[in-house]
Amino acid sequence: MSKQNLIGLNRRHFLLSAGAAATSLAAPAFAQNGADTTENERDLTEVVRRNMSSFRSLTWQPYFSNLRKGAILVDIDSRALHMWTEDGNYSLYPSSVPLSEDLTRRGRTSIVRKVDGPTWSPTPAMKKRNPEWPDFVPAGPDNPLGTHALYLGWTYYRIHGTHDTRKIGRRSSNGCIGLFNEHIAEVFSKAKVGTQVLLI
């Protein structure tokens, strides 16, 4: 066998070995995604599966007929918020989504109010599930709505920030869509009252 063939064989052998090693290293992570996943649990200290494989850019045309006042698309399954401004500029943000399907709302609405430094009160359903929760939380670092909130046309539904960054990329909310505070600040600055919102 020639020296060149030996080098090729060694390179192939190395690549196959590296691939096998990578697969074996990844195996524990895949094992965590089975029936015992903690993704829907409230304990955010547990290791959970992230959803980066479906975090991809989209075009607005399949979802909206125009960009008047801009458009926001929230993809619940990929846990991503897509935003187009009226002039067509596009941004993509990771988000948190509702804990379960019964807390999830899908369809078309719009932004009806914007609040910088929102206060928070639990909904009647939240209070029933969690009677120990406070009735009111002022704006600040303990507020579940983070630094900014975009109120939607649906009662109790918002796109808002969060001070608990472990929630982003997870099923962790009681119905709202959450973003990192720096991301909601960007979305807040570009969104208008009347911006179209579609949750799919």
Side-chain angles (χ1 to χ4, degrees):
M1 190 176 282
S2 72
K3 185 176 181 182
Q4 187 172 10
N5 286 342
L6 283 174
I7 291 170
L9 180 63
N10 289 341
R11 186 178 305 136
R12 261 193 306 277
H13 177 71
F14 171 77
L15 291 173
L16 288 172
S17 298
T23 302
S24 67
L25 287 173
F30 290 125
Q32 293 171 359
N33 295 336
D36 296 327
T37 183
T38 59
E39 185 171 304
N40 288 325
E41 300 297 314
R42 290 177 187 257
D43 182 2
L44 297 178
T45 60
E46 299 293 326
V47 175
V48 296
R49 179 175 62 93
R50 300 294 174 171
N51 199 30
M52 295 305 289
S53 63
S54 53
F55 193 71
R56 65 191 192 287
S57 62
L58 298 175
T59 58
W60 63 269
Q61 289 87 348
Y63 306 99
F64 302 96
S65 61
N66 61 68
L67 289 180
R68 277 193 301 276
K69 295 194 176 185
I72 292 174
L73 172 72
V74 178
D75 186 332
I76 301 293
D77 293 333
S78 67
R79 299 170 210 156
L81 183 145
H82 305 262
M83 182 178 194
W84 297 269
T85 57
E86 205 163 9
D87 60 5
N89 284 327
Y90 172 75
S91 301
L92 173 61
Y93 305 97
S95 71
S96 64
V97 297
L99 273 167
S100 61
E101 198 57 39
D102 63 313
L103 294 172
T104 301
R105 181 127 188 207
R106 298 175 199 266
R108 292 185 187 277
T109 186
S110 64
I111 295 171
V112 296
R113 186 161 66 111
K114 297 171 57 174
V115 178
D116 184 349
T119 60
W120 178 81
S121 295
T123 67
M126 287 179 198
K127 195 68 176 170
K128 187 175 180 180
R129 287 191 305 269
N130 304 282
E132 74 284 2
W133 284 7
D135 293 329
F136 176 82
V137 179
D142 295 326
N143 191 295
L145 300 184
T147 59
H148 299 80
L150 300 170
Y151 290 67
L152 304 180
W154 302 324
T155 305
Y156 303 127
Y157 284 85
R158 296 155 184 52
I159 298 170
H160 62 80
T162 181
H163 298 294
D164 188 349
T165 58
R166 297 171 299 171
K167 292 184 173 186
I168 303 304
R170 303 190 56 188
R171 292 185 178 275
S172 59
S173 83
N174 279 285
C176 294
I177 304 302
L179 300 174
F180 289 116
N181 279 328
E182 59 268 27
H183 291 164
I184 191 61
E186 288 177 23
V187 172
F188 187 91
S189 70
K190 295 184 263 187
K192 301 175 181 178
V193 170
T195 293
Q196 311 166 76
V197 178
L198 172 61
L199 278 70
I200 60 170

